[in-house]
């Protein structure tokens, strides 16, 4: 089976060397040497001031809302992974959906302002598939309206916007290091924070608010990454440039050789790409289903990212999101990973082209 992604695993012996070190020290969690090393290396690699490693991207979002004291209504996008919305509701916040731009698949900046009320406290945009949002416009609007901005940058590992880390924009940006993401720590995530005071709050929040043996400062949660996960991250980070280079090749093959009436994501000119996903939009949902069936017959399993539209979840106040609903129905993410073989990719492309031609 060729799946939508395949987790990059480092050479076994290399990972085993790290594990031996963990066994030697006996320290398996509570921000040990591996976590500390990975944080320092990520700060340098990504070009951000402070990285706080946590147990998942979802917990990173929840901690971000807490430390920024986010309340009531949050403007967000209906086109994302479910965690962007569910994390808000889990924290007792109310997502207010704003439709997306049909070409970038990101939140439509022109629709945000009219959805802002006196109860709005923040905007949670997503750099969907690693494609940078209109960061300058969001910054200006948020400043004028006194709103916090938390970027769900789960897909945006290593991306630069105007020659600076994409993570340096907004009050907080979060990353996911789940095994399906470009860079991973098996399970994991991080907060990228510029402000030092906010950074300290995040560090406390991930460990029950424990400041020292006798001092608890504020409500916290247990979101600590363990040493085994951080060791995986240290191994994967060594190879990340090669991984992204291979993904670029896969991306270019798809774009160059898929023929017919399909649409690819329109990328923000101000930012770099990390080839985290390979979304493709078909003319109709009917055609998408035909493509899906043909690929499954060939042992290929793409995924319908992101379907359903989050504004249609049965636990949210439903609202009509014409563009997000339409794109959700017609978009498919094709297999995209560094070790996808050329023969496998040719099979995928030929299968898609055949279906499109038949209509
Ligand atoms: C993966 C993902 C998350 C959640 O990250 P986890 O590490 O799986 O908790 C949040 N937002 C988006 C956009 C994601 O793709």
């Amino acid at each position: 089976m060729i799946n939508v992604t395949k987790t990059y695993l480092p050479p076994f012996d290399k990972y085993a060397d790290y594990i031996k070190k963990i066994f030697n020290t006996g320290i398996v969690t509570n921000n040990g040497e591996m976590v500390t090393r990975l944080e320092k290396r990520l700060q340098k690699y990504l070009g951000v001031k402070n990285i706080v490693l946590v147990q998942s991207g979802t917990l990173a979002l929840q901690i971000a809302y807490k430390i920024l004291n986010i309340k009531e209504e949050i403007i967000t996008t209906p086109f994302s992974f479910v965690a962007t919305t569910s994390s808000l509701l889990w924290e007792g916040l109310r997502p207010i959906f704003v439709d997306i731009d049909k070409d970038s698949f990101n939140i439509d900046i022109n629709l945000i302002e009219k959805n802002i009320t006196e109860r709005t406290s923040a905007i949670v945009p997503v750099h969907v598939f690693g494609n940078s949002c209109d960061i300058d416009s969001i910054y200006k609007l948020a400043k004028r309206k006194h709103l916090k901005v938390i970027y769900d940058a789960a897909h945006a590992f290593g991306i630069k916007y105007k020659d600076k880390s994409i993570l340096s924009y907004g009050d907080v940006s979060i990353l996911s290091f789940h095994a399906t993401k470009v860079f991973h720590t098996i399970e994991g995530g991080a907060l990228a924070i510029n402000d030092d005071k906010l950074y300290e709050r995040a560090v406390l929040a991930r460990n029950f608010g424990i400041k020292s043996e006798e001092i608890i400062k504020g409500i916290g949660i247990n979101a600590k990454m363990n040493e085994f996960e951080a060791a995986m991250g240290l191994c994967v980070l060594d190879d990340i440039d090669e991984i992204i280079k291979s993904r670029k090749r896969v991306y270019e093959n798809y774009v160059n050789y898929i023929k017919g009436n399909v649409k690819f994501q329109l990328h923000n000119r101000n930012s770099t790409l990390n080839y985290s996903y390979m979304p493709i939009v078909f003319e109709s949902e009917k055609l998408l289903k035909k493509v899906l069936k043909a690929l499954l017959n060939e042992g290929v399993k793409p995924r319908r990212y992101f379907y359903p539209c989050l504004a249609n979840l049965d636990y949210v106040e439903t609202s009509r999101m014409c563009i997000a609903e339409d794109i959700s129905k017609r978009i498919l993410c094709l297999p995209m990973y560094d070790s996808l073989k050329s023969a496998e990719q040719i099979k995928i492309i030929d299968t898609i082209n055949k279906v499109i031609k038949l209509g």
Side-chain angles (χ1 to χ4, degrees):
M1 197 57 138
I2 302 169
N3 283 313
V4 69
T5 191
K6 188 171 173 185
T7 301
Y8 175 82
L9 291 174
F12 179 78
D13 289 343
K14 183 173 176 178
Y15 187 55
D17 282 345
Y18 279 99
I19 301 308
K20 254 184 231 151
K21 275 186 206 145
I22 297 172
F23 272 66
N24 286 340
T25 62
I27 293 167
V28 294
T29 188
N30 281 41
N31 307 317
E33 185 192 336
M34 302 293 167
V35 164
T36 309
R37 270 168 72 182
L38 184 58
E39 282 179 341
K40 289 214 176 94
R41 277 189 64 189
L42 284 173
Q43 277 161 200
K44 188 150 176 246
Y45 180 84
L46 298 168
V48 292
K49 196 164 176 210
N50 300 302
I51 283 283
V52 182
L53 287 173
V54 291
Q55 190 52 42
S56 71
T58 307
L59 276 165
L61 282 168
Q62 289 174 205
I63 289 174
Y65 309 147
K66 272 280 193 306
I67 61 173
L68 286 165
N69 204 16
I70 300 304
K71 295 231 154 61
E72 297 191 85
E73 293 179 5
I74 317 301
I75 306 264
T76 189
T77 171
F79 188 73
S80 181
F81 181 61
V82 65
T84 312
T85 290
S86 59
S87 60
L88 289 166
L89 288 154
W90 192 268
E91 292 297 335
L93 301 163
R94 183 170 168 216
I96 304 294
F97 294 109
V98 164
D99 212 347
I100 58 169
D101 173 77
K102 68 178 186 5
D103 299 312
S104 71
F105 313 149
N106 286 328
I107 195 164
D108 186 340
I109 174 77
N110 299 310
L111 302 177
I112 294 179
E113 185 155 4
K114 66 177 176 208
N115 284 285
I116 295 173
T117 71
E118 65 275 15
R119 293 175 299 278
T120 310
S121 62
I123 310 174
V124 178
V126 180
H127 303 299
V128 176
F129 305 132
N131 189 28
S132 167
C133 292
D134 184 352
I135 287 176
D136 298 336
S137 304
I138 291 173
Y139 174 77
K140 278 186 209 138
L141 179 63
K143 197 164 180 200
R144 184 156 56 79
K145 294 283 182 182
H146 307 290
L147 301 175
K148 302 286 185 201
V149 179
I150 298 138
Y151 280 110
D152 182 338
H155 303 165
F157 186 87
I159 302 259
K160 297 262 189 291
Y161 179 86
K162 294 192 170 170
D163 295 326
K164 254 174 73 180
S165 170
I166 198 169
L167 306 170
S168 51
Y169 302 92
D171 293 282
V172 173
S173 289
I174 73 93
L175 288 162
S176 165
F177 300 151
H178 181 254
T180 56
K181 306 298 206 264
V182 174
F183 169 80
H184 81 96
T185 60
I186 308 172
E187 292 275 1
L191 297 97
I193 306 173
N194 286 318
D195 183 82
D196 288 336
K197 280 220 173 80
L198 209 53
Y199 163 71
E200 276 168 35
R201 251 184 271 167
V203 169
L204 289 172
R206 78 170 158 191
N207 188 27
F208 310 99
I210 295 174
K211 189 167 167 64
S212 64
E213 275 178 33
E214 290 168 6
I215 301 170
I216 309 276
K217 212 174 161 201
I219 296 179
I221 195 166
N222 182 4
K224 299 187 299 292
M225 178 178 281
N226 68 51
E227 291 289 281
F228 295 84
E229 289 168 329
M232 177 60 80
L234 287 167
C235 291
V236 178
L237 193 56
D238 284 339
D239 300 332
I240 193 68
D241 291 337
E242 282 306 313
I243 293 170
I244 292 175
K245 218 189 272 171
S246 302
R247 284 171 168 268
K248 178 169 193 256
R249 213 161 36 233
V250 174
Y251 169 84
E252 283 168 355
N253 285 335
Y254 278 129
V255 171
N256 291 333
Y257 297 111
I258 293 178
K259 300 289 175 206
N261 194 10
V262 295
K263 225 181 73 183
F264 299 106
Q265 186 177 29
L266 184 69
H267 296 129
N268 190 318
R269 284 156 187 259
N270 290 316
S271 76
T272 59
L273 303 175
N274 65 4
Y275 313 99
S276 49
Y277 295 85
M278 188 60 230
I280 172 170
V281 181
F282 295 98
E283 235 180 344
S284 64
E285 188 177 21
K286 201 170 143 201
L287 189 59
L288 175 144
K289 284 184 175 165
K290 280 187 193 167
V291 169
L292 195 54
K293 200 171 153 201
L295 287 172
L296 286 171
N297 271 338
E298 295 288 335
V300 178
K301 201 167 173 249
R303 286 291 297 270
R304 294 188 72 176
Y305 290 147
F306 294 104
Y307 179 86
C309 171
L310 298 175
N312 296 337
L313 291 168
D314 63 7
Y315 53 75
V316 304
E317 300 163 50
T318 50
S319 45
R320 275 247 87 102
M321 293 287 128
C322 294
I323 295 168
E325 284 173 34
D326 175 51
I327 298 285
S328 288
K329 284 182 188 144
R330 298 190 287 124
I331 197 166
L332 198 61
C333 278
L334 302 177
M336 164 55 93
Y337 48 88
D338 64 291
S339 60
L340 185 65
K341 292 190 186 74
S342 167
E344 294 172 328
Q345 202 185 1
I346 290 169
K347 181 170 81 178
I348 296 166
I349 292 170
D350 285 349
T351 306
I352 295 170
N353 283 344
K354 235 183 266 167
V355 178
I356 294 174
K357 210 166 171 190
L358 288 171

